[in-house]
Amino acid sequence: MKKLLVVLLALFAVGSLVFVSCKKKESAAAAASGSAPAAGEQTLIGLAMPETTVLRWVKDGASLKAEAEKRGYLAEVQFGNGDQTLQNQQIGNLLTQGAKLLVVGQLNDGVASAVADAARDKVAVIAYDRIIQNSADYDYYLTFNNFKVGQLQGQGLEAGLDLKAATAASPKYITLFAGSPTDGNAFFFYDGAMSILNPYIKSGVLKVVGPYPETSKDTANFQRIATEGWLPNIAKTRMENLLSGDARGVTLDAVLAPNDTLARAILEACVADAKYVNKLPVVSGQDAEAASLALIKNGQQYMTVFKDTAKLAEAAIILADQILKGVANPTVPGAVLASSIGLEAIGDTGKKIVKAYLLDPVNITQANWKDPITAGFITPEEVAANGLQ
Ligand code: GAL
């Protein structure tokens, strides 16, 4: 009898060991298939940001990580240092680590191959702030209304030059810069600005010095005013060449600059030119960077566009959370679907129309330069470092 009891206990022990190991294999298999994290394992969200040269991306990365961790996810941020090959390697590593969703701020179309790898692994991708062109391997894009960003830049120059009161008898002179041709946003920024400025150019009130693409569809001329990789030194050199070349015989009244890093580079070139020592051109911008808020405060830069990347990051993780939970039609508070306002084209990747969620940008001039500080977007350290008290 005693022997029978011992055998039964032994059989029960072996049986329970077999059961536990099967359960573990089962949950590991479920995790690998993407259906659910293994018991006790947190879901990893991969965050691939393009660079750190333009400060906003550093803030994006930090905000995205914080928002993901706040909701119980693991999050890892990688910065591509302006190199798409490097970013693709980073995305590959995140996939190897078992990321279940990727938030990607691309550098150029080369990212599409990494997005294809994610799709192969059934990992969802959110195109973050910049659309991923030539890919049918993802479904979601989240950004600001970039056409409106450009309109705000155009309206800033319209106001700064008082174009509504100007005449063709005494025209104003402007030169045009665009963002990187590798960045889909740059085309929407430019077209938004030119939707405001073109009527003044057509009426002769505003004259363009240098290349003039009426819209970004004039590819040859757009490429001539575009700034590869958004690199400030490229913009500064081009501005210096304009000042000693096409603009030598005129005094420029304005420059269309697509973001703050380029605006400051352009202003540096102007400050070094005796012609502008008493009156700098009216210069636009974008990103509400602290260094540019200081120039706006003292009247050297005319305006910028505040895109609260903390809100963009929060929206991205709210969207990611719904995607990971299998919600069919995710909604994002504070964002509008581009298709619902007739801007479906913003989600056109060239291979499919993805769901594009748009947040609203805010115009910043000398009248409200403190708003990004009040919003907490500018840190106390940046306030101190840039004399923004
Ligand atoms: C754009 C982005 C802008 C601007 C630029 C440089 O795609 O929307 O905020 O900063 O990149 O990084």
Side-chain angles (χ1 to χ4, degrees):
M1 180 60 178
K2 201 173 176 186
K3 265 189 187 168
L4 178 61
L5 191 58
V6 168
V7 168
L8 283 174
L9 278 174
L11 282 174
F12 174 75
V14 169
S16 51
L17 275 176
V18 167
F19 174 76
V20 166
S21 71
C22 286
K23 281 309 282 174
K24 270 197 177 153
K25 281 201 188 82
E26 204 179 283
S27 56
S33 70
S35 57
E41 268 184 29
Q42 282 178 289
T43 299
L44 173 65
I45 294 178
L47 308 166
M49 295 291 103
E51 50 159 282
T52 55
T53 307
V54 180
L55 285 178
R56 60 142 302 175
W57 297 110
V58 176
K59 296 183 179 185
D60 289 275
S63 300
L64 283 162
K65 181 173 169 62
E67 290 294 340
E69 290 172 346
K70 198 161 78 177
R71 290 170 178 77
Y73 291 102
L74 286 176
E76 181 176 332
V77 189
Q78 296 283 344
F79 292 97
N81 298 340
D83 177 346
Q84 191 59 64
T85 304
L86 172 61
Q87 186 178 68
N88 285 7
Q89 289 163 355
Q90 293 168 340
I91 290 172
N93 293 338
L94 289 165
L95 291 172
T96 305
Q97 290 175 57
K100 292 287 173 265
L101 182 140
L102 298 174
V103 177
V104 178
Q106 56 87 302
L107 281 146
N108 61 48
D109 295 1
V111 74
S113 58
V115 174
D117 291 345
R120 178 204 59 214
D121 297 352
K122 296 188 177 22
V123 172
V125 171
I126 296 173
Y128 182 82
D129 196 41
R130 296 173 171 174
I131 196 164
I132 294 168
Q133 297 282 16
N134 301 324
S135 171
D137 292 321
Y138 72 105
D139 299 308
Y140 300 99
Y141 170 35
L142 178 77
T143 186
F144 288 87
N145 183 335
N146 294 314
F147 188 81
K148 183 174 178 183
V149 168
Q151 288 177 308
L152 293 174
Q153 293 170 338
Q155 287 159 356
L157 296 175
E158 178 186 47
L161 293 174
D162 195 10
L163 289 179
K164 287 178 179 170
T167 63
S170 55
K172 303 289 185 182
Y173 291 90
I174 188 171
T175 197
L176 306 169
F177 282 73
S180 179
T182 61
D183 177 358
N185 290 354
F187 298 76
F188 286 102
F189 299 149
Y190 184 75
D191 289 341
M194 297 314 286
S195 71
I196 304 297
L197 299 177
N198 277 333
Y200 292 106
I201 296 167
K202 285 194 180 354
S203 69
V205 164
L206 186 61
K207 290 197 179 300
V208 178
V209 177
Y212 167 45
E214 188 174 337
T215 73
S216 61
K217 290 192 175 23
D218 174 353
T219 306
N221 279 309
F222 185 78
Q223 290 291 344
R224 293 173 65 202
I225 67 167
T227 312
E228 191 67 35
W230 292 93
L231 293 173
N233 59 312
I234 292 178
K236 184 175 180 181
T237 301
R238 181 169 169 254
M239 188 62 194
E240 288 164 346
N241 293 339
L242 276 162
L243 291 173
S244 59
D246 289 348
R248 191 177 41 219
V250 297
T251 300
L252 287 171
D253 298 294
V255 183
L256 173 63
N259 85 330
D260 287 348
T261 47
L262 303 191
R264 294 197 302 276
I266 288 160
L267 283 166
E268 277 175 28
C270 293
V271 164
D273 185 315
K275 196 191 293 184
Y276 298 96
V277 69
N278 295 319
K279 190 174 184 306
L280 289 168
V282 175
V283 177
S284 58
Q286 175 187 187
D287 291 326
E289 292 189 344
S292 282
L293 293 180
L295 297 180
I296 291 168
K297 176 186 174 189
N298 71 21
Q300 285 188 301
Q301 182 175 330
Y302 188 77
M303 57 77 65
T304 186
V305 179
F306 174 32
K307 303 185 326 184
D308 193 343
T309 53
K311 288 196 177 129
L312 187 68
E314 181 186 33
I317 300 302
I318 288 172
L319 177 57
D321 188 45
Q322 291 176 72
I323 295 168
L324 287 166
K325 287 172 178 163
V327 172
N329 295 301
T331 56
V332 179
V336 64
L337 261 178
S339 54
S340 69
I341 53 171
L343 288 176
E344 191 175 53
I346 285 186
D348 185 354
T349 75
K351 290 201 172 169
K352 74 184 284 190
I353 304 283
V354 297
K355 282 185 180 169
Y357 296 82
L358 309 180
L359 276 72
D360 228 17
V362 176
N363 190 43
I364 299 292
T365 64
Q366 201 169 39
N368 66 340
W369 63 268
K370 290 184 177 177
D371 287 6
I373 300 170
T374 312
F377 177 71
I378 302 294
T379 65
E381 295 75 20
E382 288 178 295
V383 167
N386 291 279
L388 292 174
Q389 291 85 347

